[in-house]
Amino acid sequence: MEAYKQEFIEFMVESQVLKFGEFTLKSGRKSPFFMNAGGYVTGSQLKRLGEYYAKAIHDRYGDDFDVLFGPAYKGIPISVVTAVAYSELYGKEIRYCSDRKEEKDHGADKGSFLGSSLKDGDRVVMIEDVTTSGKSMEETVPKVRGAADVEIVGLMVSLNRMEVGKGGKKSALEEVKELYGFDTNAIVTMAEVVEHLYNKPCGGKIVIDDTLKAAIDSYYEIYGVK
């Protein structure tokens, strides 16, 4: 596993963005882990977050794209800090764009989007925190494709939870790929998280011990992608 992925896993835990215990998800599932990207709140955290996204995107998609699109609301700051990091790490200016939940009907920047306008020929990388059901893509992909003649290169999320999506057979990321025809990826998968943290110290303590590992295994027996 790449060093930045190992660092990112520890960063999520230290920032209390990735938590372990018992959580009820929006889907009603009882999960032994939960991720909330809203937990990144300080300048240094956001700077590091942008760097990890930039490294993962560069690894997967190189420099051959023009725009980072972050769906509202959590995708907005992620796309901004990643665009900044991309400029600093790789010397390439990437524009950012996000959608508005409600269209602005006044001022010089009225319309459905924040940031850069989408232009014909743009190559777009979608970026968000985590995809559990793919619902956000249902709302934003038509907006992006309807705004201009763009090509969506792919999607990058923080964590692939590796559990079945709405269809009950494939992961949410696989469902998005199949439905919309573009590549989907994550900085890390839950399997990589478990591999890196199981019975190993992080921040001076064992995060995933035998008991928690058993709970995660049981969860994936029910909801994991076969």
Side-chain angles (χ1 to χ4, degrees), residues 100 102-114 117:
R100 300 178 192 268
E102 285 130 18
E103 185 166 340
K104 186 178 179 185
D105 61 1
H106 61 280
D109 62 339
K110 64 182 180 180
S112 302
F113 298 98
L114 294 166
S117 299

Side-chain angles (χ1 to χ4, degrees), residues 25-47:
L25 305 180
K26 189 184 292 185
S27 63
R29 296 174 185 175
K30 304 284 188 184
S31 174
F33 59 91
F34 181 73
M35 185 197 155
N36 173 26
Y40 300 116
V41 293
T42 69
S44 61
Q45 286 175 331
L46 290 166
K47 182 177 187 296

Side-chain angles (χ1 to χ4, degrees), residues 12 28 30 45 47 55 84 129 133 139 142 159 179 189 211:
M12 285 193 291
K30 304 284 188 184
Q45 286 175 331
K47 182 177 187 296
K55 288 176 181 178
V84 172
D129 56 345
S133 67
E139 299 171 356
L159 176 69
L179 187 59
T189 67
T211 302

Side-chain angles (χ1 to χ4, degrees), residues 120-158:
D120 289 350
D122 276 343
R123 289 171 58 80
V124 179
V125 171
M126 308 286 282
I127 185 170
E128 63 173 356
D129 56 345
V130 63
T131 298
T132 304
S133 67
K135 183 170 176 55
S136 64
M137 291 295 105
E138 288 179 16
E139 299 171 356
T140 54
V141 169
K143 285 185 183 179
V144 171
R145 287 179 169 164
D149 183 15
V150 304
E151 178 184 352
I152 299 177
V153 177
L155 166 68
M156 182 65 69
V157 302
S158 291

